[in-house]
Amino acid sequence: MLTTNPFDLPDANGDKLREECGIFGASGSEGAAALVALGLHALQHRGQEAAGITSFDGAEFHTHRAMGHVAGNFDSPAIIGQLRGNVACGHVRYSTTGETALRNVQPLYADLASGGFAIAHNGNISNAMRLRRDLVRRGSIFQSTSDTETIIHLVATSNYRTFVDKFIDALKRVEGAYSLIVMTPEGMIACRDPLGIRPLVMGKLDDAIIFASETVALDVVGATFVRSIDPGELVIVKGSEVSSHRPFAPTEPRPCIFEYVYFSRPDSISEDRSVYTVRKEIGAQLAIESPVDADLVIPVPDSGTPAAIGYAQQSGIPFELGIIRSHYVGRTFIQPNNEVRHLGVKLKHNANRALIKGKRVVLIDDSIVRGTTSLKIVQMMRDAGAAEVHMRIASPPTRHSCFYGVDTPERGKLLAANMNIDEMNSYIQADSLAFVSIDGLYKALGEANRSDTRPSHCDACFTGDYPTMLTDHDDVASVDQFALLAERVS
């Protein structure tokens, strides 16, 4: 019997870290908006809440933004026809800051003294609240609750003369993670934060320059991969001219390691590594570190599949599809009461009963966040007649919140922040539970282990080792501590 607990969520999809956002830009392509729409289709997994495209025809900017998926909002020839011009950028969104509302859907657009300015952002500005307060005191009027709008106001109020210098000035005042595609009447700019936490790549399609969050979007539109945008680099495209600028002091990059675990599509290449191959290697490391005597290796689809293949190949235990996923269940399914809500997972996943009955199974998933889905899937295996159910997770325990563009629950709602492994195993009611180690995760990337002095990736959600300042978080914590002290004094 499932009972209410502090980790419950209102829907069956809430036990995953939500993808951040996806961005795509094209410069120098006739009918650029249609190309951007196609690229956004390939990035839909990164944000399924809303989508938007802005184009420029040499005289005017044109924008269409909508709640929901790319399909249905950008399939109409009439809508694409309104987005005229050979320069365009687009965005798929899952909100990590700001409310779910059309005013927060990107690209955001503003008329500045220098002309039109459109921006699409993947990431999170970790000092946006403090910057926003300062800007409002100085007279700025915000039209959204998105952290991205902070960049627009910083550009608008910069004292530098040229737009590029204003933009660089703005970026030097923000903290956190960002990959940006910006459009102005003069051209397109693509850039990454100095640590390269969020991904961004460049490609070429005939004479057009393409930017995208992942290489899979280049593949889908038929573009050739050129290279990744380097951490801290600005690439400026003006007509047929492409130039690179590096305004930040060089530092060792820290790209997000969770791109390999879950966020990126497995057919993407990230930092010169195949995401699919890395996920298989994570599964192999998991089999080496946490073997189990079992009959079947079963992935929790779809994100657990490559790691399950790696686990099966390393262990010699047969790989089977013991859970069948429905691909026709949206995130907005209405669940009117608790009883129906708890059945929601069965709409998305169902046990392959004939395969599972009487078998000792190893379930492979990419992560455990609150643990509610793991609990339900373990129970699903038992209901299907599994003799034993062992859970293996292709990432270390998620013990810390992310502040860089991933919608992580507050730390108090993360299962691994509140329980040790044995307690987590008891909670999900498995026969055993194990996670790949942090060193095992780095070995899957081809590194000997994680460096304690300077790790090569941002792994803060596992280790708590945040690579940047967290000004807004620290401000809130200070206010909370002051309020607690005041309460004690009174």
Side-chain angles (χ1 to χ4, degrees):
M1 178 69 177
L2 297 175
T3 58
T4 303
N5 64 77
F7 304 105
D8 268 341
L9 284 175
D11 64 5
N13 301 300
D15 198 27
K16 288 287 185 185
L17 296 181
R18 301 279 191 156
E19 303 88 332
E20 326 97 67
C21 297
I23 57 177
F24 189 97
S27 179
S29 173
E30 184 177 352
L35 194 64
V36 171
L38 188 59
L40 292 181
H41 273 288
L43 298 174
Q44 187 73 84
H45 61 287
R46 298 187 73 90
Q48 301 179 36
E49 188 174 273
I53 296 176
T54 297
S55 68
F56 181 64
D57 63 9
E60 293 183 89
F61 287 83
H62 310 276
T63 297
H64 182 75
R65 301 181 297 163
M67 306 304 296
H69 291 186
V70 179
N73 284 313
F74 291 94
D75 293 343
S76 165
I79 290 175
I80 295 298
Q82 294 171 6
L83 299 170
R84 299 182 298 276
N86 66 355
V87 181
C89 69
H91 187 273
V92 288
R93 180 176 192 258
Y94 178 78
S95 59
T96 57
T97 64
E99 63 184 330
T100 302
L102 189 60
R103 64 176 177 162
N104 288 328
V105 179
Q106 298 185 33
L108 298 182
Y109 175 81
D111 285 307
L112 306 183
S114 57
F117 177 77
I119 182 170
H121 172 207
N122 169 213
N124 194 61
I125 306 304
S126 58
N127 64 335
M129 289 170 57
R130 181 181 286 189
L131 290 170
R132 184 185 181 108
R133 286 195 299 268
D134 292 341
L135 287 161
V136 169
R137 290 191 192 105
R138 292 162 54 192
S140 291
I141 300 173
F142 280 73
Q143 301 297 314
S144 76
T145 58
S146 169
D147 63 328
T148 308
E149 191 179 356
T150 305
I151 298 173
I152 297 176
H153 289 276
L154 290 174
V155 172
T157 58
S158 172
N159 292 322
Y160 283 82
R161 295 185 60 186
T162 71
F163 172 81
V164 171
D165 286 339
K166 288 175 181 286
F167 185 56
I168 292 171
D169 180 41
L171 295 183
K172 286 186 175 180
R173 296 181 61 190
V174 303
E175 301 166 3
Y178 54 83
S179 284
L180 304 172
I181 297 176
V182 167
M183 289 167 48
T184 75
E186 295 183 6
M188 177 175 282
I189 302 175
C191 65
R192 289 174 79 187
D193 65 81
L195 293 174
I197 298 174
R198 301 266 67 90
L200 191 63
V201 298
M202 180 169 65
K204 206 167 187 307
L205 179 62
D206 299 325
D207 294 328
I209 299 298
I210 310 293
F211 300 104
S213 292
E214 294 183 38
T215 61
V216 66
L218 302 179
D219 297 338
V220 166
V221 302
T224 301
F225 171 73
V226 175
R227 63 180 179 87
S228 292
I229 305 303
D230 289 335
E233 180 186 17
L234 277 70
V235 175
I236 302 177
V237 183
K238 294 183 178 181
S240 60
E241 296 181 5
V242 180
S243 59
S244 173
H245 302 259
R246 301 174 188 271
F248 300 98
T251 185
E252 292 297 320
R254 295 280 298 275
C256 173
I257 204 166
F258 216 87
E259 290 286 344
Y260 295 105
V261 174
Y262 177 64
F263 292 136
S264 292
R265 266 181 45 164
D267 45 344
S268 280
I269 305 296
S270 180
E271 308 296 337
D272 298 324
R273 298 179 178 95
S274 160
V275 173
Y276 178 79
T277 299
V278 171
R279 288 182 187 168
K280 280 182 62 179
E281 288 299 320
I282 295 172
Q285 286 295 324
L286 191 53
I288 293 168
E289 294 178 356
S290 302
V292 62
D293 190 12
D295 303 306
L296 300 175
V297 173
I298 294 173
V300 177
D302 288 322
S303 54
T305 301
I309 293 172
Y311 192 101
Q313 291 177 347
Q314 178 65 39
S315 66
I317 302 172
F319 169 94
E320 294 287 356
L321 297 178
I323 301 172
I324 307 302
R325 179 189 174 191
S326 170
H327 291 268
Y328 304 100
V329 179
R331 291 176 183 240
T332 57
F333 175 74
I334 298 171
Q335 299 164 339
N337 56 53
N338 283 336
E339 289 185 9
V340 175
R341 185 178 302 149
H342 287 308
L343 294 175
V345 70
K346 292 188 176 181
L347 289 170
K348 192 172 184 180
H349 298 120
N350 193 46
N352 189 347
R353 290 177 172 270
L355 184 72
I356 292 167
K357 187 175 181 180
K359 298 294 195 306
R360 300 166 299 169
V361 302
V362 184
L363 292 174
I364 309 291
D365 205 355
D366 62 270
S367 60
I368 291 181
V369 182
R370 291 174 173 91
T372 50
T373 297
S374 299
L375 169 62
K376 293 169 187 175
I377 287 183
V378 169
Q379 187 60 51
M380 182 189 297
M381 294 293 98
R382 297 204 188 280
D383 291 344
E388 296 175 12
V389 183
H390 304 272
M391 182 72 85
R392 296 293 181 267
I393 306 300
S395 64
T398 303
R399 295 193 170 101
H400 304 271
S401 298
C402 177
F403 300 97
Y404 300 124
V406 180
D407 185 36
T408 317
E410 59 189 60
R411 195 168 182 224
K413 294 182 180 179
L414 293 170
L415 197 68
N418 295 274
M419 300 180 183
N420 61 34
I421 304 299
D422 289 339
E423 290 168 337
M424 293 176 72
N425 184 50
S426 296
Y427 175 77
I428 68 170
Q429 300 176 18
D431 289 285
S432 71
L433 170 67
F435 296 76
V436 73
S437 68
I438 190 69
D439 281 348
L441 183 57
Y442 276 86
K443 286 177 183 176
L445 293 172
E447 301 180 24
N449 51 48
R450 181 190 190 271
S451 168
D452 292 329
T453 55
R454 187 68 186 181
S456 62
H457 288 75
C458 177
D459 52 23
C461 54
F462 307 131
T463 65
D465 179 9
Y466 295 99
T468 74
M469 295 178 65
L470 303 174
T471 297
D472 290 343
H473 175 266
D474 294 341
D475 285 351
V476 171
S478 296
V479 170
D480 290 345
Q481 288 171 6
F482 179 80
L484 180 61
L485 179 61
E487 182 180 335
R488 287 174 178 171
V489 171
S490 64

